[in-house]
Amino acid sequence: MSSHQKKCSPIPSSAQPYDTKEKTGKWRSFKDSFKRYEAFDEEDDEKLKNLTDIERANIRTANSPLQRKLNSRTITMIAIGSSIGNGLFVASGSALNAGSAGGLLVAYGITGSAIYCTMQALGELACEFPVSGGFNLYASRFWEPSVGFAVAYNYFIQFLVLSPLELVSCGIVMKYWNKSINADIWILIFYIIVASINLFGVRFYGETEFVFSSIKVIAVIGFIILSVILAAGGGPDGQSVGTKYWHDPPPFATGFKGVASVFVTAAFSYGGTELVGLAAAEAQNIRTTIPRAIKQVFWRILMFYMVSLTLICFLVPSNSDKLLGASSVDVTASPFVIAIENSGVKGLPHVMNAVVLISCISVASTSVYATSRTLNSLSEQGLCWKFCSYVDRAGRPIVGIIITNVFSCIAFIAASGKEGVVFDWLLSISALSSIASWLTINYCHIRFRRALKVQGRSLKDLAFTSRSGVLGSWYALLVNVLVLIAQFWIALFPTGGKPSANNFFLSYLGGVVLLLFYFGHKIWKKNWIFQIKAKDIDIDTGRRETDMEALRQELEEEKMILQSKPLYYRAYRFWC
């Protein structure tokens, strides 16, 4: 352990694990589990007072009382299923209409390659620093605190809004089967389900998300197999469309502006991929679990997005009237359903509707998870009310969960008929959140590598290194900047519409919010630095592997074992 690490990484004297097997009654154990877990006592707090804001934040988030109960299986499935939802199942239809077949695949392919590089960078950082708040804290640590403050609050708002929105979506989806029942009744049922999932703890959330993600993955694989059969003429009508819809209409019928607009939809569709970074703080075996989950992103992008969307382009014309006005919960506008209906297959819209319903529940549950962890991290950094850092003995950030669930009650406006207007503006606040987070992750990775070089540290000290390296992070950074520019352009001059202030702020209000938080933090903290010097970046506090010699020896042994394996096995382990 370095001298710097010894100085800046005190182990809280009160950080003793809570004995869940204490011999008490079940009711007493349940009641006691809600008591606060004290990770720091008064002596520890006195020590922290003598440190800088950044040093205190690094230590508190590195010693968070969140419990490590997410195993490799659940983390991997969260990585695979976190962004498989309405963005793929439904919103891809409006993207096909806006950008045509060629524009759809180009935009999703480029964005997907950038996400792959981003996830590689996140994997490297998360394996070294599995701290509370994940990538939101990295911005404060490797870039500068005001950026971290702005990105973290914008990410918090994004998922805070998504929770009630997805509950409203559940009510709308249920209308597909029964329009006579008040939507608020369905919302109440799903509200109780979503609230209960996170109250049962992180292990229960992980297992539930594993089931939800498995259903989504099976659905996508099933649609891919069916689409291949339909494209080959194996449907009830027996007709093979071949490459007809690649010529009529043309693959780039809407021009460059149409392609640019698809980048925005693609970014929305891939949103949620970065959740693995938040889950790292609660993973059981970080060094093996996180890399494996990160590598799975490649296969998800390749198969679940690119393969399924390529097949859709063979089966659905981009000028289909059914694609127009596609919303995030309108199952009839899903290109998957349209492809199957055009081929004469009956009954599948009901299956698709069930998958969309499960996706809505999954995203709502994940929103509570992400919001509560982000709020907890902000409080631990001293950037939010102190009581928001309350974590009980079962490892639940209970205050954050309660705040999110209370805010989710706004979903009950569904019966008023005004939910569309309210949520359009709520979503506009956090519309750029995922892009801002990805951009930040890539630049933080670049700064981390720079700090390692300046401080004379070796890449051999890292448990996992990004496959795409620093060049991959620069590439992903550039793509995200271009997506922001594309969204700004489309917001000013919408495709097929006239410029208006209302449309602009609906698309770009998130950028205004980011700037307000950024400059607000600078005024509040009187922080006028714009980048921490590489020599001053803390690359020790919170690192999970502290015995570097033992780590190097273990990594060398693993490499030697891997080299003795057949080529196909080595290739499999490289990608998976």
Side-chain angles (χ1 to χ4, degrees):
M1 184 183 294
S2 68
S3 60
H4 178 80
Q5 190 172 355
K6 290 177 181 178
K7 176 184 176 182
C8 295
S9 300
I11 302 299
S13 58
S14 60
Q16 300 297 327
Y18 174 62
D19 185 8
T20 56
K21 296 182 180 180
E22 186 180 357
K23 294 182 179 180
T24 58
K26 290 184 178 180
W27 171 247
R28 175 71 180 275
S29 297
F30 174 75
K31 189 171 65 173
D32 286 350
S33 73
F34 287 94
K35 291 181 179 179
R36 184 169 192 147
Y37 180 93
E38 297 291 350
F40 294 86
D41 59 17
E42 292 182 3
E43 184 180 345
D44 295 324
D45 288 334
E46 285 299 319
K47 293 177 183 177
L48 293 175
K49 285 181 181 179
N50 299 322
L51 303 178
T52 65
D53 289 345
I54 296 177
E55 288 173 336
R56 279 197 299 271
N58 290 345
I59 292 169
R60 284 190 174 278
T61 53
N63 294 286
S64 174
L66 296 175
Q67 293 188 357
R68 300 185 178 278
K69 290 188 175 181
L70 292 178
N71 56 34
S72 176
R73 174 174 54 83
T74 53
I75 289 281
T76 300
M77 193 56 73
I78 288 173
I80 294 175
S82 58
S83 67
I84 297 177
N86 296 340
L88 173 63
F89 292 134
V90 183
S92 58
S94 60
L96 175 60
N97 179 259
S100 300
L104 177 75
L105 296 182
V106 167
Y108 271 82
I110 293 175
T111 307
S113 65
I115 297 301
Y116 173 75
C117 295
T118 301
M119 292 301 293
Q120 288 290 316
L122 177 59
E124 183 175 308
L125 293 173
C127 282
E128 291 305 306
F129 307 96
V131 295
S132 171
F135 51 86
N136 293 320
L137 179 69
Y138 300 151
S140 298
R141 183 176 198 145
F142 301 117
W143 192 342
E144 68 98 1
S146 295
V147 175
F149 180 82
V151 171
Y153 264 102
N154 203 47
Y155 197 76
F156 166 74
I157 293 172
Q158 175 194 10
F159 280 100
L160 185 68
V161 169
L162 270 180
S163 181
L165 175 63
E166 294 300 327
L167 289 173
V168 171
S169 299
C170 288
I172 296 174
V173 169
M174 292 304 297
K175 288 183 179 179
Y176 184 83
W177 290 303
N178 192 320
K179 295 182 180 180
S180 62
I181 299 177
N182 189 305
D184 281 350
I185 295 176
W186 295 119
I187 290 173
L188 177 62
I189 294 171
F190 294 117
Y191 176 87
I192 294 172
I193 293 172
V194 170
S196 300
I197 288 173
N198 282 271
L199 284 174
F200 278 111
V202 68
R203 178 179 290 172
F204 187 79
Y205 161 76
E207 294 298 331
T208 304
E209 191 60 30
F210 176 84
V211 174
F212 289 155
S213 297
S214 298
I215 294 172
K216 289 188 285 184
V217 167
I218 293 170
V220 174
I221 294 174
F223 280 121
I224 288 174
I225 295 172
L226 182 59
S227 295
V228 171
I229 295 172
L230 295 178
D237 56 10
Q239 296 181 3
S240 175
V241 294
T243 60
K244 175 183 176 181
Y245 297 139
W246 283 90
H247 301 286
D248 182 24
F252 296 96
T254 54
F256 181 76
K257 182 179 283 190
V259 177
S261 67
V262 178
F263 276 100
V264 179
T265 307
F268 163 74
S269 299
Y270 288 121
T273 329
E274 69 289 335
L275 279 169
V276 179
L278 281 180
E282 296 171 272
Q284 289 178 348
N285 189 341
I286 296 130
R287 197 174 68 76
T288 58
T289 299
I290 299 302
R292 183 165 294 182
I294 292 295
K295 292 174 187 178
Q296 294 295 327
V297 174
F298 172 79
W299 296 107
R300 185 183 67 215
I301 292 171
L302 180 66
M303 184 172 72
F304 297 146
Y305 276 89
M306 299 312 299
V307 174
S308 60
L309 292 179
T310 299
L311 290 167
I312 287 297
C313 292
F314 280 95
L315 298 170
V316 181
S318 62
N319 58 358
S320 171
D321 292 339
K322 296 178 181 179
L323 292 173
L324 296 174
S327 70
S328 62
V329 290
D330 184 6
V331 68
T332 60
S334 167
F336 292 87
V337 173
I338 294 171
I340 294 162
E341 287 181 340
N342 289 349
S343 301
V345 179
K346 305 295 183 181
L348 207 61
H350 293 280
V351 177
M352 186 65 195
N353 204 55
V355 173
V356 171
L357 177 63
I358 290 170
S359 296
C360 291
I361 298 171
S362 173
V363 173
S365 174
T366 297
S367 297
V368 177
Y369 175 84
T371 306
S372 59
R373 269 62 181 180
T374 303
L375 188 63
N376 175 70
S377 177
L378 283 166
S379 181
E380 288 175 339
Q381 296 173 59
L383 301 176
C384 185
W385 300 295
K386 190 175 181 179
F387 68 83
C388 291
S389 64
Y390 188 106
V391 177
D392 64 24
R393 295 181 177 182
R396 295 168 296 209
I398 198 69
V399 172
I401 292 173
I402 291 172
I403 289 174
T404 309
N405 286 332
V406 169
F407 184 83
S408 296
C409 290
I410 198 175
F412 290 102
I413 66 168
S416 70
K418 297 291 184 181
E419 71 274 12
V421 177
V422 173
F423 283 109
D424 278 346
W425 284 103
L426 286 174
L427 276 178
S428 68
I429 297 175
S430 58
L432 304 179
S433 182
S434 290
I435 301 172
S437 296
W438 299 335
L439 190 153
T440 303
I441 290 167
N442 286 294
Y443 193 65
C444 287
H445 179 242
I446 294 167
R447 295 289 298 158
F448 172 61
R449 286 290 188 94
R450 175 64 179 165
L452 287 176
K453 183 177 181 180
V454 169
Q455 297 181 30
R457 308 292 278 273
S458 172
L459 293 181
K460 292 181 180 179
D461 293 341
L462 303 182
F464 171 75
T465 54
S466 167
R467 302 290 190 216
S468 53
V470 176
L471 287 178
S473 293
W474 277 114
Y475 165 74
L477 183 70
L478 176 62
V479 170
N480 282 305
V481 170
L482 292 177
V483 170
L484 288 176
I485 295 172
Q487 181 156 354
F488 185 80
W489 182 36
I490 298 300
L492 278 178
F493 306 103
T495 305
K498 296 181 179 180
S500 72
N502 184 73
N503 289 335
F504 174 79
F505 282 109
L506 277 175
S507 299
Y508 228 80
L509 185 58
V512 177
V513 172
L514 271 171
L515 291 175
L516 287 175
F517 275 115
Y518 176 76
F519 288 109
H521 181 267
K522 288 203 169 294
I523 295 170
W524 174 31
K525 293 291 186 179
K526 296 180 174 60
N527 160 41
W528 301 106
I529 63 170
F530 295 96
Q531 183 168 276
I532 301 172
K533 293 181 180 179
K535 66 182 181 66
D536 296 327
I537 292 176
D538 179 4
I539 55 175
D540 287 310
T541 304
R543 291 184 77 159
R544 194 53 50 192
E545 302 288 351
T546 55
D547 189 341
M548 294 304 169
E549 290 300 324
L551 174 63
R552 289 175 188 172
Q553 183 177 353
E554 188 177 346
L555 291 173
E556 285 298 324
E557 290 175 357
E558 289 179 0
K559 287 180 181 178
M560 291 177 62
I561 294 173
L562 188 61
Q563 287 298 322
S564 66
K565 300 293 184 180
L567 178 61
Y568 72 86
Y569 182 81
R570 280 180 281 158
Y572 169 78
R573 289 302 302 269
F574 179 85
W575 292 110
C576 300

